[in-house]
């Protein structure tokens, strides 16, 4: 019985090494993909923040050009 198991392990040892190498390759690819996705998400967030900042700065410049803008907005949006 021991001889049979030893012989079986001898034949399966190569396949086990291939399976382990395949699992390591898949794990490495998975981790690399996650890392890349994290970088892309951070880049998208930074770009969105930059766009929001540009819009906010444009609005601030428009309001600064018209000194009565706050009063005009208050008048247009207030209830009588």
């Amino acid at each position: 019985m021991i001889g049979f198991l030893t012989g079986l392990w001898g034949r399966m040892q190569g396949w086990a090494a291939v399976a382990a190498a395949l699992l390591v390759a898949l794990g490495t690819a998975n981790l690399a993909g996650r890392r890349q996705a994290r970088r892309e998400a951070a880049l998208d967030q930074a770009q969105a923040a930059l766009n929001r900042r540009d819009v906010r700065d444009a609005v601030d410049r428009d309001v600064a050009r018209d000194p009565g803008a706050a009063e005009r907005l208050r008048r247009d949006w207030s209830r009588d």
Side-chain angles (χ1 to χ4, degrees), residues 51-65:
N51 291 342
R52 285 192 306 270
R53 177 69 186 248
D54 289 343
V55 169
R56 187 178 66 219
D57 289 346
V59 170
D60 287 345
R61 283 191 301 271
D62 287 343
V63 169
R65 257 187 255 135

Side-chain angles (χ1 to χ4, degrees), residues 13-14 26 32 42-43 56 64 70 74:
Q13 194 171 9
L26 289 175
L43 183 61
R56 187 178 66 219
R74 192 177 303 114

Side-chain angles (χ1 to χ4, degrees), residues 2-67:
I2 299 283
F4 174 72
L5 291 177
T6 304
L8 184 62
W9 175 248
R11 285 179 292 202
M12 299 301 282
Q13 194 171 9
W15 289 107
V18 169
L22 181 63
L23 286 176
V24 168
L26 289 175
T28 303
N30 185 21
L31 290 176
R34 285 179 155 194
R35 190 178 311 121
Q36 181 64 27
R38 229 178 289 131
R39 280 189 209 133
E40 289 175 3
L43 183 61
D44 289 345
Q45 287 177 352
Q47 186 63 40
L50 182 62
N51 291 342
R52 285 192 306 270
R53 177 69 186 248
D54 289 343
V55 169
R56 187 178 66 219
D57 289 346
V59 170
D60 287 345
R61 283 191 301 271
D62 287 343
V63 169
R65 257 187 255 135
D66 185 12

